[in-house]
Amino acid sequence: MLKNRCCTMFVGCMAFVGVISQTPLGAADEATKFTLSNGLVEVRIDTQAGTYDLIDVVRSEAFVKDAEVVMTVAPYRELVDVKQGDSEAGGPVTTYHSKDASLRVETGPYTSALGTGRAVTLVSTFGQDAELRVRFVLYPGQHFLDVGWACRNGGTEPVRLRRVSVMRTNQILPACNHDNLKMLNGNSGGAMNRIFVNEKVRAENNMLYFAAHRDRPRSLVLGGLTYADYRKFVESDPGQNLGADVCADDPVGRRIDPGQTYESGDRFYIDGLTDNPFDALETYARTYQTAQGIDINAYTFPSTCMWFLAVKHFGGDTGSVNDTPGSVREMERIAASGFLKYGPMAVRLVPDCYEQNNEQGWWDDEHWRMHGRKERCIVEGGHIKAPYETTEKWGLAIIERGGIPFTYFEPGVRSEDYAEVFPGHMLFNDPHRYILNSQGQRQVEGHAIRGKIYGAMVQESYDYTDADFIRHLHDVYANLCKGGVQGVFYDYPDRAFPARGGMEDRYATATAAYRNVFRIARDGLGPVCYLQERLGIGSDATLGLVDSVRTAGDTNVMRPTEIRKAALRWYKNRRLVNYDMDGKALLRYGARQEQEISTQQRRTILTLSYGITGRLLLTESLRLFSPEALHDLSRVFPFHDTALSARPLDAFVSEFPSVFDFAMSKDWHQLILHNDSEAIREFTLPISGDTAFGAFGLDADKDYYCYDFWHNRFAGRVSGRGSLTQSVQPGEARMLSIHAAVSHPQWISTDRHVMQGYVDLVEKPQWDIATQSLHAVSNVIENEPYRVVIALNGCKPVKARADGARVTISVRRDNTDLADLVIESDANARINWSVTFNARSSL
């Protein structure tokens, strides 16, 4: 097939090295390569072979070689032609490879939220059938490539674009030794995240490759950069050569009409230059956040779930009822406990009737009044009752008592009466579109209640692209807004993913329709709302629309596998989404709550919930909390509202991460050491060294103070050339504050919050050399002594001041190098304080 070897020349912007160039490789075969470089990364396209290479310019080394682009299309079918038992995801497909195409290259500038760069586009023309345009963008000074695509239908009939592989190759990191290659998948929802070695992996969303060689470590990140119509996958095969297929995929696919070009809003990210795996993934997440425009709402407050409190196999609390009067009563208990002086709390009502006729689809006050729950969580009558018989009355009652009202939807669970009244709101416009098994027979749902008790059949659900259904949803969310409802938990959301098609919008993909579930809600509730996706389909396609993704099934305990799953998503947590390991008991656990949770266990649950997730859901009523338990809970709230997340420092050297590092600055870290074994564990952490191999990565030329939060004790001063050694009790999660030692007095801990100053010290202590004083601003809780631990560093305190509060400063008897500043206030207040020092000769 004739290849097009001409190229439009252009002069790159000043930050780019060279120009798009046409370089003959040899007169004999007339092969031609076209290159684009920004001085760091080079894209080299071979229009003879139909492949491209990606080059690390500084090393003069390829990190991807001989990659092709591939697309798969299917014939388009009208909705009426897809009969029951059939699917729009089925049928024949045609696959096109760039190696078999007529090729040309186009170049030019490209501007996105990431800035203005230069693009080189590989245009693959497949006769009269189609044209695939894969665009590689390089930005000045950046290590990564931004890869997007467009597709033109050159035929005479509409088609469905099912899949586009922007990189299919058998040569990933070809210059590296693959003997110690580790892969970390980027799956979401309930899918497991772990380190893979010499295994075939199909990772959803993104993948990290880490060549773990101390003398020559290398990392490569491949993943989705923006989401619109497709899910993203990285399929890796160690094989003889390490191969990868980086693709966008949808079971239904985007419709493209004859002569039309589809410009996809889906893009990919490739970075083979950032060697440290932590840096590589964190850079990816920051870039993703900017490209997708993600600005999530932080769950700075805890939530209480009325279902967990009342359901017999978890909370079993006969004093709690999952209805509007019961949830208002719980809010009153929360207020009476005194917790609200630390911040608000959300109360989640869970209307979850599992009979065939239920509240789902309707989502209105009438049906919430009609339906209750008759299995394991008795709710007589409906979930909404007098005197709070409307969403408005209930929501405002929660708000008046200092709470945040949350509610609950099952966006893909059918209510048969709704489907029969509004068949046009259902997929395929069919009130009873049965999903048949492989024998062509109808099947009963596998759900333990809907199927086994009520005999619900497996059928298609709601159509989130139908204009009339969307208008109905606008009314639904308007009613929630009127009641001040600020959050919705979406249960069984995967049922709303229309994997077999049937959408009213004939151009919509299944992924786009699923995104609509949350887009419509966010449009209806406004930007400051809290949308949670339970498990979901495993795709990051909802990020930017949801604020929280649940990673575990129904549970009130913390298990090692669930800790690992959330911990290995640290780079996305609190930046792209708040991960949630579901409910946590702090008092008792077990099928009949027969096991008491010890103080250490409770503190471990709280510390890890704070450290590796982005929210905490309580499964017990605050009326049952002792003063000690309430105090421990208050030590982790508010959760911080920044994108700071804890690195699992031993992720690449241990099967289950147990060392978690919050890096506040180069001289201040919060470190969690978690011992999940049944024996005392000795942790030995090198202070300096490569974090990719389990070291702390701090400055070898400094000393560091260590302070243990929960035990309120000094944990030592260690040299940057040494190691931090700690004996941690079985089941303990120890929170240490690590501060580089300086030559003047410095703060090293506070007792208000587990982050030891990150949240409560609203203006961090600063040293004033002229007045020899340390001054700061702290948030102080009413009638609660607030302690700041100060390392004296050769000085002694002579005077302390706190505006509008009582203050004392005292040197410790057991360690005269430390002093405690204690502030007391009669009301919650932001207190300016200072301590003045003299040079110490003796104490």
Side-chain angles (χ1 to χ4, degrees), residues 565-638:
K565 183 191 302 182
L568 292 178
R569 301 175 186 177
W570 86 93
Y571 54 102
K572 299 179 186 177
N573 188 48
R574 285 191 168 104
R575 179 176 297 279
L576 305 179
V577 70
N578 298 289
Y579 288 116
D580 167 25
M581 292 191 291
D582 200 34
K584 294 293 166 276
L586 298 178
L587 305 178
R588 308 187 72 86
Y589 69 95
R592 295 178 177 82
Q593 296 77 52
E594 68 275 10
Q595 298 292 324
E596 184 174 356
I597 293 173
S598 69
T599 297
Q600 180 176 279
Q601 288 172 325
R602 178 174 61 249
R603 290 176 173 179
T604 293
I605 293 166
L606 290 169
T607 302
L608 292 178
S609 293
Y610 194 101
I612 64 176
T613 76
R615 64 171 302 190
L616 178 62
L617 179 70
L618 302 177
T619 65
E620 297 153 312
S621 172
L622 254 63
R623 82 180 195 283
L624 304 175
F625 278 45
S626 66
E628 180 190 49
L630 194 67
H631 171 271
D632 288 350
L633 177 64
S634 72
R635 297 307 95 173
V636 299
F637 284 100

Side-chain angles (χ1 to χ4, degrees), residues 36-50:
L36 174 67
S37 173
N38 66 353
L40 299 170
V41 188
E42 179 181 299
V43 185
R44 183 177 299 168
I45 296 175
D46 186 336
T47 57
Q48 182 70 26

Side-chain angles (χ1 to χ4, degrees), residues 510-576:
T511 304
Y514 184 70
R515 280 169 50 85
N516 266 4
V517 174
F518 308 99
R519 185 195 306 279
I520 295 164
R522 187 157 296 283
D523 289 346
L525 293 177
V528 184
C529 65
Y530 300 86
L531 304 183
Q532 183 184 23
E533 179 186 17
R534 177 189 186 260
L535 303 178
I537 58 175
S539 174
D540 282 346
T542 59
L543 302 194
L545 299 174
V546 300
D547 300 287
S548 175
V549 170
R550 210 172 96 181
T551 64
D554 294 345
T555 184
N556 65 353
V557 299
M558 188 174 282
R559 297 181 175 89
T561 53
E562 296 300 334
I563 293 171
R564 177 179 66 179
K565 183 191 302 182
L568 292 178
R569 301 175 186 177
W570 86 93
Y571 54 102
K572 299 179 186 177
N573 188 48
R574 285 191 168 104
R575 179 176 297 279
L576 305 179

Side-chain angles (χ1 to χ4, degrees), residues 334-348:
I334 292 166
S337 75
F339 180 83
L340 296 183
K341 66 184 179 182
Y342 302 103
M345 184 176 290
V347 175
R348 185 166 78 193

Side-chain angles (χ1 to χ4, degrees), residues 304-312 314-321 326 330 333 377 618-623:
T304 292
C305 176
M306 297 308 300
W307 180 87
F308 262 117
L309 267 59
V311 75
K312 294 179 180 177
F314 281 110
D317 184 351
T318 57
S320 297
V321 181
E330 182 59 28
R333 294 165 175 167
C377 180
L618 302 177
T619 65
E620 297 153 312
S621 172
L622 254 63
R623 82 180 195 283

Side-chain angles (χ1 to χ4, degrees), residues 800-808 821-824 831-834:
R801 177 187 60 80
D803 295 347
R806 299 176 294 280
V807 62
T808 60
L821 173 77
V822 178
I823 301 171
E824 295 182 80
I831 304 295
N832 288 271
W833 59 263
S834 65

Side-chain angles (χ1 to χ4, degrees), residues 115-256:
T116 297
R118 303 296 302 186
V120 57
T121 301
L122 174 61
V123 184
S124 303
T125 303
F126 305 98
Q128 299 299 315
D129 291 351
E131 183 177 87
L132 177 63
R133 307 167 61 87
V134 177
R135 178 190 63 245
F136 303 89
V137 181
L138 295 175
Y139 298 94
Q142 298 298 328
H143 288 181
F144 64 87
L145 294 101
D146 175 347
V147 184
W149 78 90
C151 181
R152 182 178 184 275
N153 178 4
T156 58
E157 300 292 335
V159 297
R160 290 277 189 184
L161 178 62
R162 292 269 182 83
R163 177 179 171 122
V164 172
S165 295
V166 299
M167 188 181 87
R168 184 180 292 182
T169 179
N170 287 322
Q171 297 196 59
I172 293 291
L173 297 174
C176 292
N177 184 338
H178 295 166
D179 290 345
N180 200 20
L181 184 78
K182 302 183 178 184
M183 296 176 286
L184 173 58
N185 61 332
N187 295 49
S188 185
M192 183 52 66
N193 299 86
R194 66 179 178 89
I195 302 295
F196 296 83
V197 179
N198 294 323
E199 300 173 67
K200 287 186 177 181
V201 184
R202 187 174 193 256
E204 184 147 10
N205 306 312
N206 58 275
M207 178 91 87
L208 165 77
Y209 299 84
F210 175 48
H213 300 283
R214 288 184 178 272
D215 58 337
R216 196 185 184 202
R218 293 292 301 276
S219 294
L220 171 64
V221 175
L222 308 172
L225 182 61
T226 60
Y227 286 79
D229 292 323
Y230 291 85
R231 296 165 75 168
K232 310 296 194 306
F233 297 90
V234 181
E235 299 172 357
S236 189
D237 185 351
Q240 185 175 0
N241 295 309
L242 180 63
D245 188 345
V246 182
C247 65
D249 190 277
D250 187 82
V252 176
R254 171 72 181 220
R255 171 180 168 173
I256 308 176

Side-chain angles (χ1 to χ4, degrees), residues 655-666:
E655 181 180 2
F656 290 94
S658 57
V659 180
F660 306 99
D661 172 30
F662 280 105
M664 263 64 104
S665 69
K666 64 183 180 65

